[in-house]
């Protein structure tokens, strides 16, 4: 798997930081993307909406499941330890 980070940099080995991208470049990247992590603070952020528009599956903590009414098929719910993540994305 290739892991990219857009926006603020993460100092985690194996992640390629792309920094801040224009909306056009972000959408080009999202067209090729299969999965994205969603921020716990705002599950309907502009980034998440861009992911939904580009048919990207969004990985989200299971506890937030009750907040999702629309576009439920775009979300993958996992427990907070991500122990069952590999089963769900395979």
């Amino acid at each position: 798997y290739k892991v990219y980070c857009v926006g603020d940099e993460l100092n985690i080995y194996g992640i390629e930081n792309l920094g801040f991208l224009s909306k056009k470049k972000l959408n080009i990247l999202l067209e090729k993307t299969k999965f994205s992590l969603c921020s716990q603070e705002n599950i309907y952020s502009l980034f998440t909406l861009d992911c939904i528009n580009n048919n990207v599956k969004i990985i989200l903590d299971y506890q937030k499941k009750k907040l999702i009414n629309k576009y439920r098929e775009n979300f993958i719910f996992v427990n907070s330890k991500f122990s069952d993540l590999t089963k769900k994305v395979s």
Side-chain angles (χ1 to χ4, degrees), residues 57-87:
K57 296 291 184 185
I58 302 157
I59 299 170
L60 182 63
D61 187 14
Y62 186 80
Q63 294 175 352
K64 301 289 183 179
K65 188 174 186 174
K66 61 183 177 258
L67 300 175
I68 306 297
N69 295 324
K70 206 171 185 183
Y71 308 111
R72 185 173 285 276
E73 68 277 356
N74 287 85
F75 289 88
I76 297 173
F77 300 99
V78 295
N79 65 21
S80 60
K81 295 178 184 175
F82 295 103
S83 63
D84 59 346
L85 179 61
T86 53
K87 289 188 292 188

Side-chain angles (χ1 to χ4, degrees), residues 3 40 42 46 52 70 77 84:
V3 179
Q40 298 293 327
N42 185 3
L46 293 175
I52 290 170
K70 206 171 185 183
F77 300 99
D84 59 346

Side-chain angles (χ1 to χ4, degrees), residues 3-29:
V3 179
Y4 297 103
C5 176
V6 294
D8 294 331
E9 280 196 24
L10 292 177
N11 292 324
I12 300 174
Y13 177 77
I15 292 180
E16 185 175 338
N17 291 292
L18 300 176
F20 292 94
L21 301 176
S22 68
K23 179 99 169 165
K24 185 176 180 178
K25 287 182 181 180
L26 178 64
N27 281 320
I28 290 170
L29 180 66

Side-chain angles (χ1 to χ4, degrees), residues 30-65:
L30 288 175
E31 287 174 0
K32 302 172 188 174
T33 302
K34 293 182 181 180
F35 301 101
S36 175
L37 293 175
C38 179
S39 169
Q40 298 293 327
E41 298 85 30
N42 185 3
I43 57 174
Y44 285 119
S45 67
L46 293 175
F47 176 74
T48 305
L49 294 174
D50 285 338
C51 289
I52 290 170
N53 288 333
N54 286 290
N55 295 316
V56 176
K57 296 291 184 185
I58 302 157
I59 299 170
L60 182 63
D61 187 14
Y62 186 80
Q63 294 175 352
K64 301 289 183 179
K65 188 174 186 174

